[in-house]
Amino acid sequence: MIPPVSRRRPISLRSSWIAVIILISTLVLPSLSTSITDSIQSTPKPTIIEQPDSTMNSIGSTDNDVTCSSALDIMAFLSDLRAKYAHQSTFLQSVEEMALSLQPLFEDPERGDFYKRAFLVMAEPERTVSFRVAWVDDKGIMRINRGWRVEFSSVLGPYKGGLRFHPTVDEGILKFLGFEQMFKNALTGLPLGGGKGGADFDPKGKSPREVQSFCESFMTELHRHIHPSTDVPAGDIGVGGREIGFMLGQYKRITNRHGEGVLTGKPIDAGGSLLRPEATGYGLIYIAKLATSEKGRRPLEGARCAVSGSGNVAQYAVEKLMEFGAKVVTMSDSGGVLVFEKGMARGDWEEIVKAKQVDRIRLSAIEDRVTGSFVPNESPWTVHPSSNNYEYAFPCATQNEIDGPSALHLVENGVVGFFEGANLPITLDGQSVLKEAAPSGIGASDGVIYIPGKAANAGGVGVSGLEMSQNAQHLSWKAEEVDNKLKGLMEHIYAQLISGGSETLDIGANWASFLKVVNGMKDLGWVS
């Protein structure tokens, strides 16, 4: 930030006074500056980092700035971004993946330079808020964690995206998630911007009172930055209905505002929507069913499906897969994988849901209660079943869980479809394998289907948008009505994937979401 120019009256100084000032400048000011700097650095304070004005056609001229001009080369831009954010590898991966898929748009002779300028603006969040979270554990000891809210894009509506509580959370992870969320929300057709937040707090091993203490302290800092028309957080890894309830309770205490849709994923009795916990998993299977129902494709009914993870997304994806007649052969957590050679039964699913939602224990602890066998320190993508291999893969655990060698092994052994329940669960090397094995064109029955998370797992944020609508109207819709709207939303997303003129579904998702945000930016005068 350029400091304001101050007006100074002319001052005449005799030579002796000049000598004194020089002496003070030489001896005193450096130590004073160091003292001030040390004091500032040792005092943690909430900070708001404002990004450069997105309406500018040229952004600065220093080494830390990136110039946005008609001659912009996207590869040079990515190189500059890597140098600037070398410590944020997952964020860089998501930006690079998007940029590579948009290359044909960047090369358009008429609008290519405009698209490049727009992409440059999109790659920086509008605002990043960071703050400390001080809370007290059961022993009365104060603990300190770090919290963030990355408000990536408000082009299409209020910032919208989940809160993640996990020890791996940092600003780079949240920038990656916020970047993906911006495009995911665009595909829903709802007036939602993109954002993401969270903290490096680990709920595992904490008592309910400790979780509540942390959630309340987190909301004490966050509440000043959220509002139904500004930023509406939801849940993510480590943040479910319980945590959202604790945060909502603190928000109400602080603000004396009630009935607002300031958080989504709320408990039903606190203004939540029916089917919100199930929405991401159900939506994932709805869009998978649309893709696998195309002529010449293997239908879900009877197909062997591998699912990773055992959180909300995985649980309800598995429930819907079984409803459609698929054979679910795996579920996993960070300790290992449960393998069901003959397919999961309803009783198996109920035991897993109880273990994760009620008892909050590892899958290894319930091996004797289910028909599957537990393999420690493996995932569905590294374990090798003794009988038939998978036909469809549903990675629902976390980012970068399927690398290049794993993707190649899966494709070589009969997997004909990948549907991302998690955000960016396949590495760039893994995506390259899927691109090599892609169908010959949209609607073709050959090759491997690949639908990325920004399309496949958008059902969750879609129903969050429906929850906001119910709150605004002071209504509560029946589960059947919400489910029908969710099906319609996933059909709308799939239609965009196949109608955008791209060669594959994953590129179709990237093009459709990017153009939606670009057009909004142009309408607002935020890029030209």
Side-chain angles (χ1 to χ4, degrees), residues 424-445:
L424 207 68
I426 303 176
T427 67
L428 284 175
D429 288 343
Q431 291 176 34
S432 296
V433 171
L434 302 189
K435 285 177 172 56
E436 288 293 325
S440 54
I442 291 288
S445 60

Side-chain angles (χ1 to χ4, degrees), residues 44 132-146 201 206 209-210 213-214 217-218 220-221:
R132 70 182 174 204
V133 184
W135 59 283
V136 179
D137 67 16
D138 286 343
K139 297 179 180 179
I141 300 172
M142 179 173 285
R143 304 291 185 182
I144 304 294
N145 285 93
R146 202 74 193 159
F201 171 77
K206 304 294 191 302
R209 198 212 67 82
E210 288 175 322
S213 175
F214 178 83
S217 294
F218 184 87
T220 298
E221 298 299 329

Side-chain angles (χ1 to χ4, degrees), residues 334-407:
S334 56
V337 57
L338 276 173
V339 179
F340 301 85
E341 290 289 353
K342 297 181 180 180
M344 285 179 62
R346 179 74 187 187
D348 297 324
W349 179 82
E350 291 173 350
E351 284 291 345
I352 291 172
V353 171
K354 180 176 180 293
K356 292 302 179 178
Q357 292 190 15
V358 180
D359 301 331
R360 299 181 185 273
I361 57 177
R362 301 274 186 165
L363 294 180
S364 57
I366 63 168
E367 183 178 13
D368 60 345
R369 305 180 210 166
V370 298
T371 61
S373 58
F374 184 79
V375 183
N377 304 316
E378 296 283 357
S379 79
W381 325 124
T382 58
V383 72
H384 301 294
S386 59
S387 61
N388 295 327
N389 292 308
Y390 319 141
E391 292 168 285
Y392 291 118
F394 296 85
C396 299
T398 190
Q399 64 267 14
N400 292 330
E401 55 178 293
I402 300 180
D403 58 16
S406 295

Side-chain angles (χ1 to χ4, degrees), residues 26-245:
T26 304
L27 300 179
V28 178
L29 292 182
S31 61
L32 179 60
S33 174
T34 301
S35 175
I36 293 171
T37 301
D38 292 343
S39 175
I40 292 172
Q41 291 177 345
S42 64
T43 306
K45 295 181 179 179
T47 59
I48 298 179
I49 305 169
E50 294 283 358
Q51 300 299 333
D53 185 352
S54 60
T55 63
M56 298 173 66
N57 285 337
S58 180
I59 306 178
S61 59
T62 68
D63 291 339
N64 289 328
D65 293 331
V66 181
T67 301
C68 183
S69 68
S70 59
L72 173 69
D73 178 79
I74 205 69
M75 291 301 131
F77 163 66
L78 290 175
S79 179
D80 290 340
L81 206 66
R82 292 188 199 102
K84 191 174 181 180
Y85 298 119
H87 58 296
Q88 298 178 353
S89 58
T90 311
F91 169 63
L92 294 174
Q93 176 187 341
S94 63
V95 175
E96 183 171 348
E97 181 267 333
M98 191 70 175
L100 292 175
S101 71
L102 296 174
Q103 197 65 34
L105 298 182
F106 296 151
E107 294 171 355
D108 183 271
E110 295 183 4
R111 297 177 61 82
D113 286 339
F114 169 71
Y115 291 145
K116 291 177 186 178
R117 292 194 298 273
F119 185 78
L120 186 151
V121 174
M122 290 180 197
E124 287 284 354
E126 292 177 9
R127 186 177 297 104
T128 299
V129 182
S130 66
F131 47 87
R132 70 182 174 204
V133 184
W135 59 283
V136 179
D137 67 16
D138 286 343
K139 297 179 180 179
I141 300 172
M142 179 173 285
R143 304 291 185 182
I144 304 294
N145 285 93
R146 202 74 193 159
W148 293 267
R149 186 65 178 172
V150 178
E151 297 176 332
F152 225 102
S153 173
S154 60
V155 171
L156 302 179
Y159 308 108
K160 187 79 190 78
L163 298 170
R164 176 175 293 191
F165 292 170
H166 195 273
T168 61
V169 167
D170 57 26
E171 186 177 327
I173 291 291
L174 296 176
K175 283 174 64 177
F176 135 64
L177 292 169
F179 183 75
E180 290 286 307
Q181 193 78 45
M182 168 174 54
F183 298 113
K184 180 189 305 185
N185 294 358
L187 286 173
T188 67
L190 300 173
L192 302 172
K196 208 75 178 183
D200 56 2
F201 171 77
D202 189 356
K204 291 182 179 178
K206 304 294 191 302
S207 71
R209 198 212 67 82
E210 288 175 322
V211 172
Q212 181 174 353
S213 175
F214 178 83
C215 289
E216 290 173 352
S217 294
F218 184 87
M219 181 52 72
T220 298
E221 298 299 329
L222 183 65
H223 82 276
R224 68 201 73 198
H225 305 293
I226 62 176
H227 185 271
S229 61
T230 304
D231 188 347
V232 184
D236 195 84
I237 294 174
V239 179
R242 177 184 68 167
E243 290 75 20
I244 291 291

Side-chain angles (χ1 to χ4, degrees), residues 244-256:
I244 291 291
F246 290 153
M247 286 187 276
L248 179 62
Q250 184 71 350
Y251 177 85
K252 288 160 70 72
R253 288 191 197 100
I254 294 170
T255 65
N256 196 32

